[in-house]
Amino acid sequence: MTAKLCRVSNTPLKQVLDFGKQPLGNGFLEKKDFANEYFFPMSVGFSEVSMMFQLLEQPNPEIMFHDHYAFYSSTSGFMANHFKQFAEEVINSGYLSKTSPFVIELGCNDGIMLKNFASKGIQHLGIEPSLNVAKEANKHGVRTRSEFFSEELAETIVKEEGQIDAFLAANVMCHIPDILGVVKGIKKLLKPTGVVMFEDPYLGDVIAKTSYDQIYDEHVFLFSALSIKYLFGLCDMELIDLQPQKTHGGSMRYVLAHKGAYPVKNSVPEILAKEMAQGLDKLETFDKFRESVEQSKIDLVNLLKDLKAKGKKVVGYAATSKSTTVLNYCGIGPDLIEYICDTTPIKQGKLSPGMHIPVVPYETFAANSPDYAFLLAWNHAEEIMGKEKKYVESGGKWIIHVPKVQVL
Ligand code: DWN
């Protein structure tokens, strides 16, 4: 689906970055499927009206999210804790009604967050179009509907089950091209006292850290508070709180409600002012970002070629979706990275999207430590480096590329 116009404001988009042909971030495949591998022209645009940073073209949702979607949220212990805490914060927020609260999570994946509501007997519903992960959620007692969310679905839910107290989402809203349709649905779903609480990778961090790998097929938008204020303002809703998060290399949790329903916390004007100072409302900011991205590519390729020339064994650690952008944009294949180890069974034994680097079980890494491991899940650095102390003690070194290319 190509957008020459902003998906939210319908005004012309200005292209700010072009990554060329890219495969699906989670398009891990077998050799027999090489001939049919899917690629799309990946570039990003910006609208100075909505302040939405967005893909110009995105593959159809059915191509990306299906009954063999490769990402399971519960692969990280740190994230499991994060979502337990998120659920507790919602339950104790004072925003839920005292009697029979009802909570919906969009894109509940394998139930990593909603199971914390289910276990307390709180009425909940997960909306998860990828059937394989939704089934996993059911195993944890989470009730799901395996559909794409829309205004129509919101109307059906209101008719069948009534309005809700909280609409939650984590790392989901930035995946949805018809985001305005979703917000219109939310507006209908929410009780007058209801709230929206969602978090996504934060554009402010992406720009500050040159973490361009947050840009891939699934992430049609990278939001800022400015863009969220604009989007929800179109449906007479407003930001009432903003809570920066450490997750995914820097995320933002947005709290919104019907206009006037709650007082606006100080975090809102403070962070909006910070974003204006960072230039998240201006095209020029993204020109500088493009230069930093180009430099990062040069530095990374030079480092890997240098290590190869010295005969070093270099592997990738964690076959993340975001690594697909780095590897394909920089042209890094099995000649520079021997394999990528990953804990997700569905990815193991396959080849990485586009560059076709073998994905192997984690045990391969543990059994035969390389000289260098390129940490493709740099956002989980604390957790991974914490459990891989032995690798470093035995002389192994980490390579990371965010916020700059370096050997640790
Ligand atoms: O928005 C999205 C985020 C939340 O999750 C999605 N569109 C898809 C996915 O992105 P990702 O694949 O870049 O996510 P992560 O959480 O950075 O990486 C997960 C991958 O890393 C999995 O394949 C498992 C792997 N991993 C590992 O092998 N060992 C992860 C950890 C923490 C580990 O210790």
Side-chain angles (χ1 to χ4, degrees), residues 26 69 71 75-76 171 175 216 218-219 248 317-322 341-344 347 377 379-380 383-384 387:
N26 270 309
Y69 183 55
F71 176 71
T75 45
S76 157
N171 308 307
H175 295 69
Y216 52 92
E218 296 178 14
H219 290 177
H248 289 295
Y317 193 111
T320 57
S321 328
K322 53 182 128 2
C341 71
D342 195 280
T343 53
T344 316
K347 296 183 185 176
N379 48 308
H380 296 300
E383 175 176 358
I384 292 175
K387 67 184 175 194

Side-chain angles (χ1 to χ4, degrees), residues 25-26 28 65 69-73 75-79 83 109 170-172 174-175 200-201 213-214 216-219 248 317-324 340-344 347-348 359-360 362 375-381 383-385 387-388:
N26 270 309
F28 296 89
F65 308 110
Y69 183 55
F71 176 71
Y72 287 75
S73 293
T75 45
S76 157
F78 179 84
M79 290 310 291
F83 287 121
N109 199 279
N171 308 307
V172 169
C174 71
H175 295 69
D200 274 306
D213 51 359
Q214 289 292 7
Y216 52 92
D217 58 331
E218 296 178 14
H219 290 177
H248 289 295
Y317 193 111
T320 57
S321 328
K322 53 182 128 2
S323 67
T324 299
I340 305 172
C341 71
D342 195 280
T343 53
T344 316
K347 296 183 185 176
Q348 296 163 355
V359 180
V360 302
Y362 168 72
L375 185 54
L376 298 164
W378 56 271
N379 48 308
H380 296 300
E383 175 176 358
I384 292 175
M385 289 182 185
K387 67 184 175 194
E388 296 296 355

Side-chain angles (χ1 to χ4, degrees), residues 15-27:
Q15 181 174 309
V16 293
L17 257 167
D18 187 358
F19 291 93
K21 291 256 181 236
Q22 290 284 326
L24 302 175
N26 270 309

Side-chain angles (χ1 to χ4, degrees), residues 234-307:
L234 295 175
C235 293
D236 211 24
M237 296 180 75
E238 65 181 355
L239 278 166
I240 54 169
D241 196 8
L242 287 166
Q243 303 167 0
Q245 306 291 316
K246 274 192 184 167
T247 47
H248 289 295
S251 299
M252 184 64 78
R253 185 178 298 164
Y254 306 91
V255 186
L256 300 116
H258 296 292
K259 210 167 186 172
Y262 292 100
V264 175
K265 297 201 172 153
N266 289 342
S267 56
V268 175
E270 280 167 16
I271 290 176
L272 288 172
K274 235 179 170 176
E275 291 190 352
M276 297 294 280
Q278 196 187 355
L280 296 188
D281 57 332
K282 289 189 192 69
L283 270 169
E284 300 92 85
T285 307
F286 303 103
D287 288 334
K288 286 194 208 115
F289 175 59
R290 186 178 49 244
E291 285 165 20
S292 308
V293 172
E294 285 164 1
Q295 190 57 51
S296 174
K297 172 179 178 172
I298 294 168
D299 294 345
L300 181 60
V301 173
N302 284 348
L303 172 65
L304 294 176
K305 283 191 173 161
D306 185 45
L307 293 174

